[in-house]
Amino acid sequence: MLKPFGLNELRETFLTFFEEKGHLRLPSFPLIPQNDASLLLIGSGMAPMKPWFTGEQEPPRKRVCTCQKSVRTVDIDSVGKTARHASYFEMLGNFSFGDYFKKEAIKWCWEFLTERLGIDENLLYPSVYFEDEEALNIWKDDIGIDPERIVKLGKEDNFWDHGSGPCGPCSEVYFDRGAAHDCGKPDCFPGCDCDRYVEIWNNVFTQYNNDGAGNYSELSQKNIDTGMGLERLACVCQGVGSIFEVDTIVSVINKVSEISGISYKEADSSDVSIRIITDHTRAATMMICDGILPSNEGRGYVLRRLLRRAARHGRLLGIDRLFLVDICDVVIGLNNNAYPDLIEKSDFIKRCINTEEENFGKTINAGLSMLSDLIDELKATGKSMLSGEDAFKLYDTYGFPLDLTVDILTEHDKTVDTDSFEKHMEEQRVRARKARESLGDLAWAGIDLGLDNIPTIFTGHEETSSTGVVLAIVKQGEICSALGKGEEGIVVLDKTPFYAEMGGQSADFGTVTKGDVIFNVSGVQVNKGDKYLHSGKMLSGELKVDDPVDAKIDESRRDAIKRAHTATHLMHKALRSVLGDHVNQAGSLVEPDKLRFDFTHFSALSKDEIADVEKRVNTAILEGFEVTAKETPIEEAKKLGAAALFGEKYGDIVRVVTMGDSVEFCGGTHLENTAKTGAFTILSESSIASGVRRIEAVTGFATLELLSSSRKHLSELAEMLKAGTPEELHGKLEQNMLIVRELRSKLDSALSKEADDEARRVLAEARDIGGLKVITTIIKGAAFDNEKLRQIEDTLREWEAGVVAVLATVKDDKITIMAACGKTAIEKGVKAGELIREVTKTCGGSGGGKPEFAMGGGKDVSKLQDALNAVDTFVKDFTKK
Ligand code: ATP
Ligand code: MG
């Protein structure tokens, strides 16, 4: 009988066991690989310890043990389908760096499983690499396992090798879950892919070095790297059928069942969905906790994919609300003892999950219905593959990611023509490029200026005017030698102080002159040959190639651009301080005293957050920090902690702009001191894409203009309201609102009295037909609008149970008719809905409604009286019966 170990207890038992064997216990490394660009996510205990295995770095001790958070993207598709795969799991491991080797590793592995945990040794099967006699003998002689029970496996299963570097044979331990799980194949034995024999522990003996060409040499330092899935171990110890039923995970399963109202083990397909939701929410929670945010690339995309799959499987179970946070809550509750930062970050994690789920819901509904039509069509026509064109349409119009389409089709045993999908994607890329080119790129960059070896020298960081020479002139897309008065074109200079539109910063404007010859510059671009192309119009004289010229920028425009650019850096820094380090620049536009900044963040900023950002920027401005720019090698800049744009390529030498504690890579122009920015004001904050926010703000004179225009606006309002000063506006408005409320209530009661009077008047004129009171009246007067008519009808019905009232008004030759029937009238069979149809028909219209009240209209005013006369006949039909 096994001791019933809980998952949390097992983790502790393992770590203590190896501590007793002289190991140093380390906490789990984060899921984001540190200083390792070769990995997307940590997927094993050894992955973060690579430098200790290669000898690149000294480990803190030669024996180490951990319980490592792991995410394996390759297993995502198996999740829910097998009993043993999760995308997120914890890996227990004991490691030796040139210390103990096979003998101790195998001995302790066996001791832990059979003695410490008390697992029946008859259910355990070791495996070895078929050429590893040493390991085989240890299992046989030292542990005393019957050789019949030791499985020899080939390179694919039992040799750990990553192409180059340390590698070696493995020895695993399989657990037999019993004949009930047998796949039925005659060779079903440990190592089989089915769910009978589950690999629980893998011992890797890193004893060789692979030179990259497949030549193996013995390592001087031999290492032990072991890995055992905590969930799989718990599954075995608790005697449950799958990792999803171990104590901690089953609570998550139960929550999904509770929310969906579908009990686990009800139907195979819903079980898969329940397991996927459970697993993916666990993974997402841990990933976000470690600083990963949903995005369209890299690990952010893995996270997004997991969350979207979980959300979609929720829909498959019929859950029609945002529910992932509720699951996440349970995950946090079960894991916060081992990972306390889950508590600290729980609000953040939940907000992130909720936003992602919400955004997914918005974009996906339309796509899902189109896809389900397409699947029906496939089924009807007996086809098994969705065309690339359809998959692309889903992607292009509904933002439906290809992997989701593939996922859904797989559920229906169908495939997607992904090659053709890729072809469509490529075609779209080409189309987009062509469109860009036709929009002007060609004019700027495509023309062979014949001078591509001489880049323009940019002097704009040092001076505002420079002397240079005209290298080329372009007129209407053609190279030419001169530009005359009134003509528009492009002038290329060898040297220029004009900043070209780049990195979000707008271009400088100004003039290129030679004596009386003036070319007005209203745009600057830099082409692929790094030549500066000044576009504009000749104001006077004629400019020719080779002319010596003075190029001078509009300094006040440049100053205003600098203010906005310096403020952009300060705001970037403030956003990171207020919202967190996940904030990254996603786009930027810097114009004179005006800026637009896009950044990654998953939810709208609160009023307080906006006010906080604004205050921090203004404080940094008033501090009067000196702004310095320095060119340094990129490595050095990174050490300074300079904020680089993710995915952006930089040269070896970069320009680093520093102000206070803001340090950024930047080629733009800046103030010398932050104080020159003037006042900074945020105008708006909005969403531009899922996970990307946009802030628009102003600086310098634009803030002053804003201030003075709002002041003017307030004064005008104060004058309109006779408030004296803007300060008195509030009190004045309150007073006026009070008066309006009082007047409205007086008016209401006056109008309702009027309606009562009218009701009384028409009731007095009612005709008695078989005990019912029939009224047909054309009500005159503009005050009786539809609402008033209705009020009279309601009053009549309330006062007189036997009433049948048809009231009409005429306005601009249009007839409105309302009919009401009291309780007694309805009992006799007179229904307003039918009556109104009869009446309106006669005057060229239509209408309808309920037995007690109905409404309609007509066009033929000359027939109105006839129509009303028909009421009596209509009523008589019923009263006779
Ligand atoms: P399998 O063949 O079952 O996928 P593996 O060969 O990929 O396993 P290893 O790479 O040797 O597994 O990882 C070491 C240990 O980590 C395994 O013995 C197992 O206990 C655990 N493990 C691996 N993948 C998963 C997973 N997706 N979910 C849970 N535990 C896992
Ligand atoms: Mg695997």
Side-chain angles (χ1 to χ4, degrees):
M1 178 61 200
L2 298 177
K3 297 174 198 162
F5 280 103
L7 181 126
N8 287 317
E9 232 179 319
L10 277 170
R11 186 193 298 112
E12 187 53 36
T13 310
F14 177 90
L15 294 170
T16 314
F17 178 85
F18 281 97
E19 272 181 321
E20 287 163 15
K21 310 282 183 206
H23 291 64
L24 172 69
R25 177 206 290 227
L26 292 178
S28 172
F29 292 83
L31 283 168
I32 301 180
Q34 313 287 302
N35 303 316
D36 184 353
S38 70
L39 280 180
L40 200 58
L41 290 155
I42 295 298
S44 69
M46 74 77 65
M49 300 184 192
K50 265 199 261 168
W52 299 343
F53 278 100
T54 56
E56 218 174 292
Q57 275 174 26
E58 192 66 23
R61 196 188 287 178
K62 280 177 181 292
R63 297 179 184 191
V64 162
C65 61
T66 57
C67 176
Q68 176 63 47
K69 299 180 260 191
S70 305
V71 170
R72 287 195 179 178
T73 51
V74 292
D75 287 342
I76 291 181
D77 289 328
S78 307
V79 170
K81 296 178 188 152
T82 71
R84 66 183 203 276
H85 287 104
S87 58
Y88 164 82
F89 62 97
E90 293 175 73
M91 198 188 284
L92 301 166
N94 53 289
F95 307 91
S96 154
F97 310 102
D99 190 36
Y100 65 85
F101 202 45
K102 290 184 193 175
K103 212 176 186 125
E104 294 84 344
I106 291 177
K107 200 172 128 242
W108 291 337
C109 162
W110 196 251
E111 180 186 335
F112 179 74
L113 291 176
T114 57
E115 289 175 31
R116 189 61 61 101
L117 300 185
I119 299 176
D120 180 354
E121 53 185 78
N122 291 315
L123 299 177
L124 296 175
Y125 291 81
S127 77
V128 294
Y129 177 54
F130 75 112
E131 284 177 341
D132 190 357
E133 290 294 323
E134 192 186 356
L136 180 73
N137 289 335
I138 297 173
W139 281 114
K140 208 159 49 127
D141 304 334
D142 297 14
I143 312 288
I145 308 276
D146 174 359
E148 290 278 289
R149 296 172 55 83
I150 305 172
V151 199
K152 290 182 182 173
L153 295 174
K155 199 155 179 183
E156 204 159 281
D157 284 307
N158 269 9
F159 196 93
W160 192 86
D161 191 353
H162 272 232
S164 71
C167 57
C170 312
S171 174
E172 304 159 323
V173 179
Y174 286 84
F175 177 81
D176 181 4
R177 297 174 61 218
H181 300 278
D182 200 297
C183 62
K185 289 189 206 128
D187 56 349
C188 182
F189 210 64
C192 178
D193 238 4
C194 76
D195 268 341
R196 171 163 182 179
Y197 299 99
V198 188
E199 174 197 325
I200 55 171
W201 201 332
N202 191 357
N203 295 280
V204 183
F205 313 124
T206 34
Q207 64 188 106
Y208 302 114
N209 186 51
N210 181 347
D211 67 357
N215 303 312
Y216 299 93
S217 55
E218 286 271 340
L219 280 176
S220 55
Q221 173 189 306
K222 297 200 166 97
N223 308 309
I224 289 293
D225 153 26
T226 73
M228 173 158 60
L230 177 59
E231 292 81 357
R232 287 197 194 174
L233 181 66
C235 176
V236 166
C237 291
Q238 296 171 15
V240 291
S242 86
I243 57 170
F244 292 94
E245 284 151 50
V246 307
D247 58 339
T248 52
I249 305 180
V250 81
S251 311
V252 186
I253 291 265
N254 290 340
K255 188 71 192 180
V256 182
S257 280
E258 180 197 315
I259 292 176
S260 62
I262 294 177
S263 61
Y264 194 53
K265 298 265 148 101
E266 197 163 88
D268 202 39
S269 64
S270 32
D271 276 1
V272 172
S273 291
I274 293 177
R275 286 194 288 263
I276 286 179
I277 295 167
T278 299
D279 170 80
H280 290 8
T281 312
R282 263 165 50 87
T285 303
M286 302 310 289
M287 287 169 81
I288 300 167
C289 185
D290 273 0
I292 300 166
L293 276 178
S295 75
N296 281 336
E297 60 197 358
R299 46 184 93 86
Y301 189 68
V302 175
L303 173 60
R304 172 160 284 169
R305 186 170 168 222
L306 289 170
L307 283 171
R308 285 178 171 179
R309 280 185 109 217
R312 198 176 62 77
H313 280 275
R315 282 163 187 255
L316 289 180
L317 294 180
I319 304 172
D320 58 1
R321 63 172 176 95
L322 300 181
F323 75 106
L324 291 179
V325 272
D326 297 344
I327 312 295
C328 167
D329 253 333
V330 179
V331 173
I332 292 177
L334 292 166
N335 290 285
N336 60 37
N337 266 338
Y339 304 104
D341 49 343
L342 278 173
I343 299 257
E344 215 171 283
K345 296 188 185 151
S346 78
D347 280 351
F348 178 84
I349 297 171
K350 287 195 280 187
R351 261 212 285 172
C352 183
I353 289 183
N354 211 44
T355 311
E356 189 65 17
E357 189 182 5
E358 201 171 21
N359 289 340
F360 177 68
K362 278 186 216 148
T363 55
I364 227 67
N365 280 337
L368 275 179
S369 88
M370 173 176 166
L371 184 54
S372 94
D373 289 348
L374 288 170
I375 291 172
D376 287 346
E377 206 178 299
L378 285 181
K379 285 183 180 159
T381 52
K383 288 189 190 133
S384 66
M385 188 189 264
L386 183 76
S387 74
E389 191 183 345
D390 285 335
F392 178 75
K393 206 188 295 163
L394 278 165
Y395 167 82
D396 201 35
T397 27
Y398 301 114
F400 224 75
L402 178 66
D403 54 36
L404 186 59
T405 307
V406 173
D407 259 9
I408 295 175
L409 280 155
T410 310
E411 280 160 21
H412 294 270
D413 288 328
K414 307 271 178 219
T415 55
V416 179
D417 188 344
T418 49
D419 287 346
S420 146
F421 174 86
E422 282 307 329
K423 230 177 268 157
H424 279 88
M425 284 293 279
E426 183 52 33
E427 276 165 24
Q428 193 199 38
R429 278 193 280 270
V430 171
R431 270 199 305 279
R433 196 162 53 235
K434 287 222 173 101
R436 263 200 315 277
E437 282 170 2
S438 69
L439 274 176
D441 266 17
L442 252 187
W444 296 115
I447 298 168
D448 179 9
L449 293 166
L451 307 150
D452 275 341
N453 50 346
I454 322 168
T456 303
I457 297 166
F458 174 65
T459 58
H461 281 314
E462 299 87 34
E463 53 192 34
T464 52
S465 76
S466 307
T467 52
V469 172
V470 176
L471 291 181
I473 292 176
V474 179
K475 191 166 65 185
Q476 290 175 344
E478 304 277 342
I479 305 259
C480 60
S481 55
L483 203 61
K485 187 175 171 197
E487 288 182 323
E488 289 181 3
I490 295 166
V491 173
V492 185
L493 300 178
D494 67 335
K495 206 166 112 188
T496 183
F498 283 82
Y499 189 85
E501 193 181 312
M502 227 179 327
Q505 181 176 327
S506 307
D508 284 323
F509 293 173
T511 52
V512 173
T513 57
K514 183 189 148 210
D516 297 340
V517 178
I518 305 172
F519 177 69
N520 188 48
V521 179
S522 55
V524 186
Q525 303 260 345
V526 62
N527 81 347
K528 288 182 192 124
D530 274 340
K531 263 183 283 295
Y532 280 56
L533 315 177
H534 307 73
S535 61
K537 190 171 175 177
M538 284 304 297
L539 295 187
S540 66
E542 191 188 45
L543 198 65
K544 292 192 288 295
V545 174
D546 289 338
D547 275 351
V549 288
D550 289 316
K552 187 170 170 7
I553 64 165
D554 172 348
E555 287 184 49
S556 71
R557 177 181 163 91
R558 162 73 76 85
D559 286 344
I561 290 175
K562 282 180 180 176
R563 289 194 287 271
H565 203 157
T566 297
T568 301
H569 284 214
L570 294 175
M571 184 173 80
H572 188 186
K573 181 75 198 174
L575 283 169
R576 289 177 78 103
S577 311
V578 172
L579 304 176
D581 284 343
H582 60 275
V583 168
N584 272 308
Q585 178 172 339
S588 162
L589 180 67
V590 178
E591 292 181 322
D593 271 335
K594 207 169 135 198
L595 59 104
R596 198 178 79 194
F597 189 71
D598 300 338
F599 57 99
T600 49
H601 185 58
F602 47 81
S603 61
L605 270 66
S606 68
K607 275 202 185 106
D608 285 350
E609 283 168 337
I610 293 177
D612 194 6
V613 169
E614 206 173 67
K615 175 133 190 244
R616 280 167 194 263
V617 174
N618 280 310
T619 307
I621 290 170
L622 294 175
E623 283 287 339
F625 291 124
E626 196 190 336
V627 181
T628 57
K630 198 171 97 182
E631 307 228 315
T632 55
I634 188 153
E635 285 314 315
E636 211 153 292
K638 281 191 182 151
K639 271 186 220 144
L640 290 172
L645 289 189
F646 185 74
E648 189 90 349
K649 287 204 177 59
Y650 294 95
D652 294 339
I653 299 288
V654 292
R655 190 162 174 270
V656 175
V657 175
T658 309
M659 53 188 89
D661 53 4
S662 149
V663 186
E664 286 197 39
F665 287 22
C666 179
T669 58
H670 283 275
L671 302 164
E672 311 80 71
N673 190 295
T674 58
K676 288 193 170 185
T677 309
F680 166 86
T681 311
I682 292 179
L683 299 181
S684 69
E685 191 272 342
S686 59
S687 159
I688 56 160
S690 165
V692 184
R693 312 289 310 172
R694 166 170 293 177
I695 285 186
E696 290 179 304
V698 289
T699 57
F701 287 111
T703 302
L704 293 182
E705 271 160 30
L706 186 73
L707 186 63
S708 84
S709 78
S710 21
R711 236 166 39 189
K712 183 161 161 266
H713 195 58
L714 274 180
S715 300
E716 282 167 3
L717 282 181
E719 211 169 297
M720 264 168 73
L721 287 167
K722 309 232 171 332
T725 67
E727 288 69 32
E728 291 164 32
L729 254 181
H730 197 266
K732 188 76 187 179
L733 258 181
E734 258 175 3
Q735 225 175 31
N736 280 353
M737 273 154 63
L738 205 70
I739 296 172
V740 168
R741 258 201 304 278
E742 258 170 44
L743 289 178
R744 172 155 305 144
S745 104
K746 276 190 190 148
L747 182 66
D748 280 350
S749 63
L751 288 176
S752 103
K753 183 173 174 296
E754 211 177 344
D756 284 0
D757 289 348
E758 190 67 15
R760 210 167 285 126
R761 189 181 69 75
V762 296
L763 194 57
E765 291 171 3
R767 300 179 293 284
D768 190 312
I769 298 180
L772 297 179
K773 302 241 181 234
V774 179
I775 300 166
T776 49
T777 307
I778 301 173
I779 300 219
K780 300 198 181 72
F784 291 102
D785 54 10
N786 284 354
E787 201 192 331
K788 187 52 60 54
L789 268 193
R790 196 184 168 126
Q791 211 174 329
I792 299 172
E793 292 278 35
D794 287 347
T795 311
L796 286 170
R797 236 167 358 106
E798 211 175 283
W799 287 352
E800 178 55 64
V803 81
V804 176
V806 180
L807 308 182
T809 56
V810 181
K811 206 173 179 183
D812 303 331
D813 278 347
K814 266 206 206 110
I815 309 167
T816 304
I817 307 179
M818 292 189 192
C821 294
K823 227 171 115 219
T824 323
I826 295 171
E827 276 162 15
K828 291 210 162 149
V830 187
K831 293 184 184 130
E834 288 168 12
L835 178 56
I836 201 92
R837 263 197 296 281
E838 194 63 31
V839 175
T840 50
K841 209 164 60 189
T842 317
C843 58
S846 64
K850 296 197 178 129
E852 65 271 19
F853 178 79
M855 180 171 170
K859 280 177 269 184
D860 194 346
V861 181
S862 65
K863 298 268 172 63
L864 179 56
Q865 197 53 56
D866 289 350
L868 292 179
N869 292 344
V871 174
D872 286 7
T873 331
F874 183 88
V875 175
K876 269 182 200 141
D877 268 0
F878 290 95
T879 50
K880 265 188 246 151
K881 285 174 206 161

